[in-house]
Amino acid sequence: QVQLVESGGGLVQPGGSLRLSCAASGTIFTIDTMGWFRQAPGKSRELVATIRISGYTNYADSVKGRFTISRDNTKNTVYLQMNGLKPEDTAVYYCNADLKRWYRQNYQNYWGQGTQVTVSS
């Protein structure tokens, strides 16, 4: 059994900052890509940022220069530092990971349960 548990969401004023965390737990051999997606009301889920085990990162254009993704491979944890938050960043943020539970297994994709981020004055 593998679980991804997010934390760090909440209510913040425009221009403020939040830091999201997502810890993967359970039987895990290795994690390749970890990332964050978000879904606003009435909209499709969209990519925010991803980070490979190599450290290679990828960001949505809408968050470049404001958000920073990082990870701690010793803790199977991914972080999202969000600065300069805007009302349009309001969404449920989901953690995502491609991982193997055992050496000979193919990579499988897992989702967290989501954490709400609300940007409002």
Side-chain angles (χ1 to χ4, degrees):
Q1 190 79 353
V2 171
Q3 282 191 311
L4 302 182
V5 179
E6 301 106 332
S7 61
L11 173 64
V12 64
Q13 293 187 341
S17 298
L18 282 176
R19 188 190 193 212
L20 305 183
S21 299
C22 171
S25 63
T27 302
I28 298 171
F29 174 72
T30 187
I31 304 176
D32 184 4
T33 304
M34 302 188 81
W36 292 93
F37 291 72
R38 66 186 181 187
Q39 187 166 18
K43 295 188 177 181
S44 301
R45 192 172 296 189
E46 64 177 7
L47 179 146
V48 177
T50 59
I51 183 168
R52 301 288 300 273
I53 192 170
S54 63
Y56 177 82
T57 58
N58 181 47
Y59 294 92
D61 288 342
S62 59
V63 307
K64 283 180 181 177
R66 300 188 297 124
F67 292 9
T68 301
I69 190 169
S70 61
R71 63 191 282 174
D72 184 337
N73 294 326
T74 66
K75 298 180 179 179
N76 289 335
T77 298
V78 63
Y79 306 95
L80 186 67
Q81 178 66 43
M82 304 185 293
N83 299 328
L85 282 161
K86 305 175 181 179
E88 51 263 44
D89 294 317
T90 296
V92 177
Y93 283 69
Y94 295 92
C95 178
N96 182 268
D98 290 327
L99 61 89
K100 288 186 180 183
R101 297 186 64 194
W102 302 283
Y103 171 69
R104 293 188 179 275
Q105 188 188 43
N106 293 328
Y107 280 97
Q108 295 185 331
N109 190 256
Y110 292 83
W111 291 94
Q113 81 286 353
T115 185
Q116 177 69 47
V117 171
T118 302
V119 185
S120 175
S121 56

